[in-house]
Amino acid sequence: MRPRRAPPVLHAPPVRALARLAISLAIAMGCCSPALANNACGAGGGRQPCTFTLGQRPFAASSSWNRPIAPDATFEKLAWPPGALFGVAWDSYSPAIHVSSASDPVVSVEHPASWGRPAGVASIRIPVGVDGAQGTDGELLVIDGGTVHNLWQFKRLSADRATARSYAAADIVTGDGWGRTSPFLGAGIVAAGSSQLAGLLVQAETDRGEITHALQIAIDAALARPGRIGEAINGDGRNPEGLVQEGERLAIPATVPMPPGLSPLGRKVFRAYRTYGAFVIDVAGGITNLRAQANAYDEATITALQQDLTRISPLLQRVRRPAD
């Protein structure tokens, strides 16, 4: 997210006209329908506070996550090594998403300094019984109004107390899903500093229709080069001979045909890879993974997608400028 500055004083048009204009702009900038456009919201002018409904496309329409690959973009084939593994992280090493309600307890989450935030206690409404994901990362996403809270190695100690080894948050309605470098501030807890919601496969979205944003990829750690690129604010690649850096955008060129026999979700992922691509935001051990919401989908759907990705993911290529 970029730092805000005070706007010049203007004579405001009627609120309804503002709302219509905001929706029209959102649609023009990449939303497929008014239902997917972010609500006009914010303080002042009689508007309501920003809120988000799971199933909407997250983040601002102007975000690179929500902009299609440019028609004149060029592509570079990647030399995926023989035997490279591809799949989907779902029941571990991928976050659950929980949407807070007014009846949920306020949980005091103690966390150390991380991602540009000082050590402290975050007060978040979190449903009873919710804890971190399976796997050593223990991720958790909590949506409260217009904010998505990202927690790493989250451990619930009681109904109203918890700890996390890392914490970050982002504006889910008007933010861009990326962190910022100056002053340094993460939007999420993945290696690239982006929100973990950005590019995640969310069942409420895929049940609703097509995927209308870029997806997120955790690259096999052996294939990750040091450094970062694009809008990533951090990187943890270690192999100087690796294929990609965190922050890079990959995609399937429009000229590549869809493999036959894909599952319904696999076809949506393929179309999203062709239209929006995917950003490399983290590393994984021994496999290149797409990530899916942990507390959604069913085993049959994910098993079918796993099989699809062994054919889809090797088709991904590096997007060269202009990338968006």
Side-chain angles (χ1 to χ4, degrees):
M1 295 185 292
R2 296 177 176 85
R4 298 185 180 184
R5 62 176 183 175
V9 178
L10 300 173
H11 293 291
V15 173
R16 290 181 182 177
L18 280 173
R20 288 196 298 270
L21 177 61
I23 291 173
S24 299
L25 286 173
I27 296 168
M29 296 176 75
C31 265
C32 294
S33 69
L36 288 175
N38 290 333
N39 298 324
C41 57
R47 289 178 290 174
Q48 298 298 313
C50 292
T51 57
F52 177 82
T53 301
L54 197 62
Q56 288 180 288
R57 181 172 69 174
F59 305 110
S62 58
S63 168
S64 56
W65 288 99
N66 294 331
R67 292 200 303 270
I69 302 293
D72 56 346
T74 58
F75 298 84
E76 177 187 344
K77 288 187 176 180
L78 294 171
W80 297 108
L85 299 177
F86 302 92
V88 55
W90 170 57
D91 56 353
S92 62
Y93 297 101
S94 193
I97 304 173
H98 293 276
V99 180
S100 299
S101 69
S103 61
D104 292 325
V106 176
V107 180
S108 297
V109 184
E110 185 176 356
H111 60 86
S114 63
W115 291 109
R117 291 172 174 80
V121 176
S123 297
I124 308 170
R125 289 195 180 275
I126 304 176
V128 174
V130 167
D131 212 335
Q134 295 294 315
T136 56
D137 285 353
E139 313 102 318
L140 177 65
L141 287 173
V142 179
I143 295 171
D144 189 359
T147 301
V148 55
H149 301 275
N150 288 226
L151 300 141
W152 182 68
Q153 291 192 348
F154 177 84
K155 292 186 181 298
R156 192 150 191 168
L157 305 178
S158 66
D160 60 358
R161 290 182 59 248
T163 61
R165 293 288 303 278
S166 187
Y167 167 75
D171 187 319
I172 198 173
V173 179
T174 63
D176 63 11
W178 293 100
R180 68 185 185 212
T181 55
S182 183
F184 186 83
L185 188 69
I189 51 82
V190 298
S194 57
S195 172
Q196 202 169 18
L197 182 63
L200 187 70
L201 272 183
V202 176
Q203 185 172 2
E205 286 184 61
T206 56
D207 282 354
R208 186 174 190 165
E210 293 297 312
I211 301 165
T212 57
H213 55 75
L215 294 169
Q216 61 164 267
I217 283 182
I219 195 80
D220 182 344
L223 306 179
R225 291 204 314 269
R228 58 182 174 83
I229 198 170
E231 294 174 272
I233 64 171
N234 184 62
D236 61 356
R238 299 289 183 268
N239 181 6
E241 305 300 320
L243 283 184
V244 299
Q245 290 177 304
E246 280 154 332
E248 281 199 271
R249 195 174 198 172
L250 310 180
I252 297 175
T255 55
V256 175
M258 180 185 293
L262 298 179
S263 69
L265 184 55
R267 292 194 292 271
K268 291 182 180 183
V269 168
F270 180 88
R271 288 190 288 265
Y273 277 162
R274 278 204 306 203
T275 304
Y276 296 92
F279 288 102
V280 178
I281 50 81
D282 215 332
V283 298
I287 189 169
T288 293
N289 269 332
L290 178 66
R291 282 178 173 158
Q293 178 187 354
N295 60 334
Y297 297 108
D298 56 61
E299 190 168 355
T301 297
I302 296 298
T303 297
L305 179 60
Q306 171 73 40
Q307 295 169 351
D308 294 339
L309 290 172
T310 63
R311 295 189 290 156
I312 296 172
S313 296
L315 302 175
L316 287 166
Q317 300 182 22
R318 180 180 289 111
V319 180
R320 288 298 191 186
R321 293 295 179 188
D324 45 42

